[in-house]
């Protein structure tokens, strides 16, 4: 069914917000994903403060060119995952990468994204997707800070046992 001009303008506004204003977003190809899988994915994304939006490729191309981004190849069905309330800028790429592993790369694949207002190709966005979340990074940092004190306490304990 053809979209009206008002519907297309609304989609353009939403895409501009998703691709430019949110700071980070992931572009994914999908094919053969069931409604149940997509619903579960949308629910999971919503819990993380993200949104999943399927749009026409011509509208995505228009928003990308209007905002000065180099165009990636947009073959097949394309969807955008972007931040709505999440403060974690790596979350769209990370969750898209996780879904790609769970659903299979031929059915759902991360192929490009926008990070820090720069377009990233598949390689660049995959590297960003493998960065752990902020909570995990904070835990790793606390472990690094705690490790010397813990080793010192163990060494003192061993000295105390020998004397």
């Amino acid at each position: 069914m053809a979209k009206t001009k008002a519907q297309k303008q609304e989609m353009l506004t939403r895409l501009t917000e998703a691709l430019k204003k949110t700071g980070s977003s992931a572009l994914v190809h999908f094919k053969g994903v069931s409604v149940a899988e997509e619903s579960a994915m949308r629910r999971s994304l919503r819990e993380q403060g993200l949104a999943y939006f399927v749009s026409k490729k011509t509208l995505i191309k228009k928003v990308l060119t209007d905002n000065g981004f180099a165009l990636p190849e947009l073959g097949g069905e394309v969807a955008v995952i972007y931040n709505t309330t999440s403060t974690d800028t790596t979350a769209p790429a990370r969750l898209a990468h996780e879904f790609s592993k769970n659903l299979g790369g031929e059915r759902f694949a991360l192929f490009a994204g926008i990070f820090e207002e720069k377009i990233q190709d598949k390689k660049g966005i995959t590297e960003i997707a493998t960065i752990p979340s902020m909570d995990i990074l904070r835990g790793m940092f606390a472990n690094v800070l705690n490790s010397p004190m813990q080793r010192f306490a163990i060494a003192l304990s061993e000295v105390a046992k020998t004397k």
Side-chain angles (χ1 to χ4, degrees):
M1 185 167 106
K3 301 279 185 191
T4 65
K5 197 166 196 150
Q7 289 173 321
K8 288 180 183 178
Q9 189 58 42
E10 181 183 327
M11 290 177 85
L12 281 172
T13 304
R14 189 168 175 190
L15 278 170
T16 301
E17 177 185 320
L19 296 175
K20 180 74 174 157
K21 295 179 184 173
T22 60
S24 68
S25 57
L27 297 170
V28 295
H29 286 298
F30 65 96
K31 184 175 182 175
V33 178
S34 71
V35 173
E37 291 169 331
E38 189 171 345
S39 297
M41 180 179 56
R42 284 179 191 263
R43 196 173 313 111
S44 174
L45 289 170
R46 210 171 306 122
E47 290 170 2
Q48 300 288 326
L50 304 172
Y52 178 81
F53 182 64
V54 178
S55 177
K56 297 180 79 156
K57 290 181 281 194
T58 54
L59 296 177
I60 292 174
K61 285 179 186 179
K62 180 169 178 33
V63 170
L64 288 174
T65 54
D66 288 351
N67 289 299
F69 293 118
L71 284 176
E73 182 59 39
L74 297 177
E77 292 86 11
V78 179
V80 179
I81 298 175
Y82 63 97
N83 280 326
T84 55
T85 60
S86 176
T87 58
D88 186 1
T89 57
T90 62
R94 188 176 55 256
L95 291 174
H97 185 66
E98 285 178 22
F99 289 126
S100 176
K101 287 195 296 189
N102 293 342
L103 296 174
E106 60 279 344
R107 292 177 50 209
F108 190 89
L110 176 63
F111 73 93
I114 297 172
F115 187 73
E116 294 182 347
E117 298 189 15
K118 293 181 186 156
I119 193 86
Q120 302 289 329
D121 61 354
K122 183 176 182 165
K123 182 181 175 199
I125 201 71
T126 303
E127 287 176 9
I128 292 166
T130 57
I131 297 172
S133 69
M134 283 302 291
D135 292 336
I136 293 172
L137 287 173
R138 286 183 184 121
M140 292 167 75
F141 182 68
N143 192 28
V144 166
L145 291 177
N146 189 36
S147 181
M149 293 182 282
Q150 187 177 14
R151 289 181 185 173
F152 183 65
I154 291 170
L156 286 178
S157 173
E158 293 299 318
V159 169
K161 285 180 186 176
T162 60
K163 292 188 178 194

